[in-house]
Amino acid sequence: MFLKLKNIFFIVVILSIVFNGLLVNSTSLRRGKNIHDNNNSNIKINNNNKDILSSGSGSGSSSSDINPYISQYNSERETLVNQENQIKLGSNTPFNSKEQQANTIFSNILQNEELSFSNNDPSAVNFFLEKQIIENESTIFKIIQNMPKGSALHVHQDSSATYDYLISVGSYLPNCYIYLTNDVNDANNGTFHFYENQPTDSNWKLLSSLRESVSNVEAFDQQLLDSLTLIGEDYGDYINLWRKFDGIFGRVSGLVTYLPIATGYMEHLFQQMIQDGVQHIEVRKCFGDFYDLSGKIYDDYWFVETMEQLVLTTREKYAMNEFGFKIIGCNGRHSNQSVVYDAMLMSLDMRNKYPSTFVGYDLVGPEDEGYPLLYFIDQFAEIKKLGYQYQYPLDYYFHAGETILYNNTNLYDAILLNTKRIGHGIQLPKHPLLMDLVLKNDIGIEICPISNQILQYVSDMRAHPGLDLLNRGLPVTISPDDPAIFNYGGLSFDFFEVTYSWGLNLQQLKQLAINSINHSNTFNQSEYNLLYNAWEVKWFNFIDYIINTYSNI
């Protein structure tokens, strides 16, 4: 009984001490004073054989009582952060006080907008599901639409501008046929072509007759347009998605290679890019002929010469003397060695015949299924040898590292073959030595954010490997790849995605545009100066636009 009472008494005493301690601590906190200041000033903590006084470590300590350890830690932390920031994109980009003012406005809008979206961040969701939200609800997107973007360096010619032109203009031309069959596995299903007379294959239907037979022509045309995009496709099946993606190129081929449409489609591209703030375009053009209604064939020499004339007309039409357009010839990487060699011979000839327009060669298509670059090493060696006989040797602009497989080797060979730029380079962050070589050799990286997401290389844009490259200070550029198939035009959507997902500011966006200009194929210093100086004027007009339009938001 005595022991029980003794234990109860002991517990009461302990509770009393704790309770009184809480009261004292609560009172001290309300006064902004740490109760340990007076009682524990002589307590020392051993840390790495250093005695560090704990006095002044409380939240209410004065600046004169800052813990020496914390003071040193904060100093080292600031140094570390600054050292890393000096590596990142935009750290050394000239930025005046007016740009700083615009950047403050821009960053505030971005932060508030991201908070308003909360967990529905557009950059974290498939682009097809968020496109309308971006267009209709984002102020940042509207600002980016007005931004001068420099150069679009990675875009495929036959998917470079929205396909609404092909349907609303091209398919309404006389003698346009479409191949229709009930066999869903028929690769020709939905293919367009122009014929002077009805083909013997009855599956070819005259499009004008089909339009006459439907009650809603607008809905019919929309259905045709949808068949040329990946909208509504299964986003999760990587292999089948690529099959559908490649199939679209086959369906539009008869439209984009038809002579009356070919030039008009490129005019459509120029208009879309210029209106979206792009001053310079470089397209991958797979070798292949064009045709007219009589069946006459026009080769790629015709295309280059036609584009040179169109560029002159475009400069005059838009009063843009700096506007530039370059062509990189290419083949599918599934092509055999003799086809690739012949194409490179042709590229070497065109490089020297049209040095200000035709700039190099590439191999395109899914890397995980086609031949690796190493497969063509004998052909590359022969072309290198032949190149010594020409004024301009053949330069390369290889797709490399556009893969989800760890054992892809194309990045090694692209760098060893002295590629001028790397298309995509998604796997590059896994290769630290290769990243050093890219930085040392100033090899431009063509990041295509939306394409990488839709084609299932990156699901969440916030985890895109391009951010790692950007933070290492590599010369990253932004491009749209195949925007027509992804149902958009220009570059603004891609810039929006990286701005949102990577938290970019105006200084970094400025450097991305400068990177694109610095890695453009300008024929000489005069062409470069013309492009850069015109872009810079537009850039400072853009800064004024932000300040004048959004200062009161």
Side-chain angles (χ1 to χ4, degrees):
M1 180 68 178
F2 174 74
L3 289 174
K4 288 184 179 178
L5 290 172
K6 185 178 180 181
N7 287 338
I8 291 171
F9 175 77
F10 179 75
I11 291 171
V12 170
V13 171
I14 293 299
L15 288 173
S16 176
I17 293 172
V18 172
F19 180 71
N20 288 333
L22 288 173
L23 286 176
V24 172
N25 190 45
S26 175
T27 303
S28 300
L29 288 175
R30 285 197 297 270
R31 293 174 182 169
K33 179 175 174 62
N34 192 321
I35 63 172
H36 296 290
D37 287 353
N38 296 324
N39 298 330
N40 295 343
S41 59
N42 292 322
I43 296 177
K44 297 181 179 180
I45 302 173
N46 187 279
N47 184 16
N48 295 329
N49 298 321
K50 292 183 179 179
D51 289 336
I52 302 176
L53 291 174
S54 64
S55 128
S57 62
S59 60
S61 60
S62 65
S63 59
S64 62
D65 296 329
I66 293 178
N67 186 313
Y69 169 78
I70 295 178
S71 177
Q72 180 181 352
Y73 177 88
N74 287 336
S75 176
E76 291 176 356
R77 186 180 187 278
E78 182 180 6
T79 300
L80 183 62
V81 171
N82 289 338
Q83 285 176 339
E84 184 178 63
N85 285 338
Q86 285 301 309
I87 300 173
K88 293 180 179 180
L89 176 87
S91 60
N92 298 311
T93 306
F95 216 58
N96 63 31
S97 59
K98 205 169 188 179
E99 289 172 298
Q100 292 283 4
Q101 180 185 354
N103 187 53
T104 299
I105 296 169
F106 181 84
S107 297
N108 287 338
I109 294 173
L110 176 61
Q111 184 178 31
N112 291 333
E113 197 170 287
E114 286 185 319
L115 288 172
S116 70
F117 280 119
S118 186
N119 292 329
N120 297 315
D121 188 336
S123 62
V125 183
N126 189 282
F127 173 73
F128 287 146
L129 303 178
E130 295 294 325
K131 181 173 180 283
Q132 286 188 336
I133 293 176
I134 295 170
E135 287 177 307
N136 299 330
E137 300 182 23
S138 173
T139 301
I140 288 295
F141 179 69
K142 291 180 175 60
I143 294 174
I144 288 175
Q145 283 182 303
N146 286 276
M147 173 184 147
K149 301 170 182 67
S151 304
L153 299 180
H154 188 118
V155 58
H156 293 265
Q157 178 264 335
D158 48 358
S159 57
S160 55
T162 52
Y163 286 151
D164 54 343
Y165 174 85
L166 299 184
I167 300 301
S168 64
V169 177
S171 73
Y172 275 84
L173 294 177
N175 300 93
C176 183
Y177 288 81
I178 184 171
Y179 191 90
L180 297 176
T181 174
N182 293 327
D183 184 0
V184 295
N185 295 317
D186 191 327
N188 291 321
N189 209 12
T191 299
F192 296 86
H193 205 278
F194 286 84
Y195 294 103
E196 193 169 11
N197 300 300
Q198 171 70 48
T200 55
D201 188 337
S202 61
N203 287 319
W204 284 105
K205 311 293 183 183
L206 186 63
L207 205 49
S208 59
S209 298
L210 289 178
R211 284 196 175 99
E212 291 174 359
S213 67
V214 300
S215 58
N216 190 333
V217 174
E218 184 177 347
F220 176 77
D221 284 350
Q222 185 61 50
Q223 188 176 10
L224 293 177
L225 180 58
D226 289 346
S227 73
L228 303 181
T229 73
L230 287 177
I231 293 176
E233 299 294 353
D234 177 10
Y235 309 137
D237 190 333
Y238 167 71
I239 299 298
N240 284 333
L241 193 63
W242 260 100
R243 297 284 186 276
K244 295 167 184 174
F245 178 64
D246 283 341
I248 292 173
F249 289 102
R251 289 199 288 278
V252 301
S253 177
L255 292 172
V256 296
T257 60
Y258 184 53
L259 210 66
I261 297 177
T263 304
Y265 183 61
M266 298 313 294
E267 285 185 87
H268 182 49
L269 167 65
F270 291 1
Q271 180 186 36
Q272 281 193 330
M273 286 292 188
I274 289 172
Q275 290 177 347
D276 199 45
V278 175
Q279 289 81 47
H280 180 98
I281 309 166
E282 300 193 8
V283 299
R284 261 75 166 189
K285 164 68 174 71
C286 283
F287 288 106
D289 295 330
F290 298 80
Y291 72 103
D292 64 18
L293 194 60
S294 69
K296 183 180 178 181
I297 298 300
Y298 302 79
D299 60 18
D300 283 291
Y301 290 88
W302 169 86
F303 179 73
V304 175
E305 292 171 4
T306 302
M307 290 304 100
E308 288 187 333
Q309 291 301 312
L310 183 60
V311 167
L312 296 176
T313 303
T314 302
R315 288 172 179 168
E316 183 177 353
K317 179 179 179 180
Y318 294 96
M320 284 182 64
N321 290 331
E322 78 274 14
F323 180 75
F325 177 77
K326 311 294 178 178
I327 300 169
I328 298 168
C330 59
N331 290 104
R333 60 177 65 253
H334 57 273
S335 303
N336 64 44
Q337 292 168 325
S338 62
V339 169
V340 168
Y341 179 70
D342 289 343
M344 286 196 291
L345 280 178
M346 184 175 178
S347 296
L348 186 58
D349 181 59
M350 296 178 81
R351 176 78 183 101
N352 285 270
K353 195 166 188 175
Y354 312 105
S356 63
T357 301
F358 192 94
V359 296
Y361 182 77
D362 186 17
L363 287 164
V364 302
E367 291 184 54
D368 298 339
E369 296 183 331
Y371 293 115
L373 291 175
L374 188 60
Y375 177 73
F376 302 102
I377 190 60
D378 290 339
Q379 289 70 45
F380 292 137
E382 185 63 26
I383 292 298
K384 181 178 178 63
K385 179 180 176 182
L386 288 173
Y388 293 121
Q389 303 174 22
Y390 290 81
Q391 182 178 359
Y392 302 101
L394 186 61
D395 291 327
Y396 299 123
Y397 299 83
F398 287 126
H399 280 64
E402 186 190 14
T403 176
I404 56 176
L405 298 183
Y406 67 89
N407 58 350
N408 184 287
T409 62
N410 285 329
L411 283 167
Y412 292 99
D413 298 299
I415 292 171
L416 287 172
L417 289 166
N418 296 317
T419 187
K420 296 295 184 181
R421 298 194 303 261
I422 291 174
H424 300 287
I426 297 170
Q427 293 293 313
L428 193 55
K430 296 181 179 179
H431 300 276
L433 178 59
L434 298 188
M435 283 195 290
D436 289 342
L437 290 173
V438 166
L439 189 59
K440 177 184 177 182
N441 297 329
D442 195 28
I443 301 172
I445 309 295
E446 305 162 348
I447 296 294
C448 305
I450 293 175
S451 172
N452 297 156
Q453 185 191 58
I454 291 177
L455 295 179
Q456 289 297 300
Y457 296 111
V458 179
S459 58
D460 187 333
M461 210 71 78
R462 295 171 296 185
H464 194 292
L467 179 58
D468 298 330
L469 303 176
L470 182 146
N471 285 338
R472 284 286 299 268
L474 273 66
V476 170
T477 66
I478 304 299
S479 286
D481 202 12
D482 302 282
I485 297 178
F486 309 141
N487 195 36
Y488 72 96
L491 256 178
S492 286
F493 282 108
D494 288 280
F495 267 95
F496 171 87
E497 292 286 357
V498 298
T499 299
Y500 245 71
S501 58
W502 301 348
L504 303 185
N505 58 36
L506 282 183
Q507 191 170 21
Q508 291 170 312
L509 291 176
K510 179 181 182 181
Q511 187 59 53
L512 283 175
I514 293 173
N515 284 352
S516 74
I517 294 172
N518 288 344
H519 287 86
S520 297
N521 278 289
T522 47
F523 181 59
N524 51 35
Q525 190 64 41
S526 295
E527 186 178 347
Y528 172 85
N529 291 343
L530 186 63
L531 173 59
Y532 184 89
N533 293 337
W535 170 82
E536 190 173 50
V537 170
K538 290 179 169 65
W539 174 262
F540 287 113
N541 289 338
F542 169 64
I543 294 300
D544 288 337
Y545 156 78
I546 293 176
I547 295 172
N548 295 335
T549 307
Y550 298 102
S551 289
N552 296 324
I553 292 182

